[in-house]
Structure formats: C-alpha cells, structure tokens
Amino acid sequence: MPRHNDPTSKLFYKGASDDFIVFVDDHDVLNRWRGDRSVPLADVLNGWKIFVTHKHGAQGVLDGASKASLENEFGTSNEDDCITQILEKGEYQSTISREQQGDTNFRNGPAYR
C-alpha cells in the first residue's frame, strides 16, 4: 500500500552562520499572517520548533536549533522572535515526498537486515 506522500511546506532561512527551517501548514495562511499579524502563529506553524541544517541547505539533516545558534544569528534566544523573523524573511518551499512501497515479496526474507 502506498504511503508517505503528503505535501510538506517549510520556510528556509539562509543565515550568516547557519541555515534555519520552520514548518508551516499552508502558504495561504502564511501570506495572510504576513499581511495581518492578528492571525495567530499557531495557525501558521506546523509544530513550534526551529530546525538548523548546519549550512547544508534546505535538504540537510534537521537538528533542533540551540539557544546559542539562535542568539548568534538573530541576536536573541527567544524562539517567538526568531520564528517571526524566519516567517518574515524565509523562502517558502513545498515538496511532495514520493510514495514508498511496502515489502511485497515475503519469500525473500525480512526486508530489514
């Protein structure tokens, strides 16, 4: 059965010291938030976490951003302020992961060795 083909929307912020990513629900809600700050951030974000890719671009390994890396890049370790800056200046990217097929030939033994 095919699975894992949901669209993923994120904002990529290329900083001076590191690259940061936050996940968002929808591009339309993000644009509405950019025009009207009365839209709650909880409606815009898909998880309240800032990720860092260690200068490997938007497709790098995602680690949680430390307070030190946030302080170095944004001048504050307050996640709300950092998320606001990423949402304002970040580049929107949306991808759809390709389908993954389950193991269909059980005669070959276990798929995970």
Side-chain angles (χ1 to χ4, degrees):
M1 171 188 291
R3 56 185 179 245
H4 189 72
N5 57 345
D6 295 331
T8 303
S9 301
K10 61 186 172 184
L11 271 142
F12 172 70
Y13 179 85
K14 183 159 185 67
S17 62
D18 248 326
D19 298 337
F20 298 90
I21 290 178
V22 293
F23 289 95
V24 294
D25 281 330
D26 188 18
H27 191 251
D28 295 332
V29 176
L30 173 66
N31 285 337
R32 197 165 5 117
W33 177 85
R34 285 179 172 168
D36 178 17
R37 294 299 168 95
S38 66
V39 175
L41 280 178
D43 292 347
V44 178
L45 295 174
N46 185 357
W48 204 272
K49 184 125 174 110
I50 302 172
F51 295 96
V52 63
T53 64
H54 306 291
K55 297 300 271 183
H56 288 139
Q59 280 74 35
V61 175
L62 300 180
D63 291 329
S66 68
K67 289 187 182 268
S69 64
L70 294 176
E71 184 76 38
N72 288 340
E73 184 64 41
F74 300 105
T76 181
S77 61
N78 184 347
E79 288 189 4
D80 294 345
D81 296 339
C82 297
I83 286 174
T84 301
Q85 289 185 41
I86 293 171
L87 291 176
E88 289 171 347
K89 302 173 186 171
E91 173 190 341
Y92 178 80
Q93 296 179 349
S94 180
T95 58
I96 297 177
S97 300
R98 65 184 180 93
E99 293 181 354
Q100 295 179 351
Q101 192 70 25
D103 190 8
T104 56
N105 190 352
F106 297 107
R107 298 183 94 194
N108 289 338
Y112 306 104
R113 296 178 190 198

